[in-house]
Amino acid sequence: MVPSRSSRPAVRRVVSLVPSLTEAVAATEPGLLVGATDWCDHPAGLDVVRIGGTKNPDTARIAALAPDLVLANEEENRAPDLGALRAAGLEVLVTEVRTLPRAFAELERVLVRGCGLVRPAWLADAEDAWRDVRAAGPAVRAVVPVWRRPWMVLGRDTFAGDVLARLGVANVHAGHPERYPRVPLDELNACGAELAVLPDEPYRFTRDDGPESFPGLPCALVSGRHLTWYGPSLREAAEVLGAALRAAGR
């Protein structure tokens, strides 16, 4: 737990291990960031020390940066790495985001309670952008791959699944006991889906890499950043994702 603002020193140096949180801090108070992962590619031209990947951060290098706060996520970052950072005497704030409302709450916790910043206008804009989003018509049953070789899909309790549900897309694997199950391709094609949603991250599905695996099924190629990131991209995510779904005829 992060101490209350009144009981902790001012936060002046932040390392982020989560691309969406990196963008959120950079959009609010960019001078706070001193380190970020190699995958933190928004905003473009971010000039901070790179500390490795989300799954293999250089914990010694992070400690050497002497951050006041390290931002992490229970899904994207590994517990042993976070434990090593805490053992080095660093404060680590770990987010848990599995729904859109939780994303908004965690962003406020990170920025206001964690970093001591004023609640940014872009966060209110993002909430406004989603407030009146309603699915038009019955939900479309969809399979949502996030990786291939092996094939992996969205399962239960995922942020991306909640985002899609608000746009009228029902994930056929939402009841799976795993959050990101491995499912053979023949089973994916036999699951009764009416649509395949193919994001460009974490696996980069494209028009030439992905749709051919789902013959006869409409495929929506969507922005992974707008589907899976929680941060400033949420301001336009509903519009961007909705347009991609409509382009697929759904």
Side-chain angles (χ1 to χ4, degrees), residues 7-47:
S7 64
R8 62 178 298 181
V11 172
R12 304 186 188 281
R13 297 173 63 82
V14 172
V15 169
S16 173
L17 306 183
V18 186
S20 54
L21 294 180
T22 298
E23 184 181 23
V25 174
T28 308
E29 188 62 52
L32 287 183
L33 285 169
V34 295
T37 75
D38 299 339
W39 299 105
C40 295
D41 54 6
H42 281 77
L46 182 65
D47 184 17

Side-chain angles (χ1 to χ4, degrees), residues 39 41-42 144-147 197-207 209 220-229 240-241:
W39 299 105
D41 54 6
H42 281 77
V144 192
V146 293
W147 200 259
V197 178
L198 304 175
D200 61 10
E201 65 172 78
Y203 185 90
R204 187 174 179 79
F205 288 105
T206 68
R207 293 189 183 280
D209 185 357
L221 294 164
V222 303
S223 162
R225 174 170 167 259
H226 291 96
L227 179 62
T228 64
W229 288 34
V240 171
L241 294 171

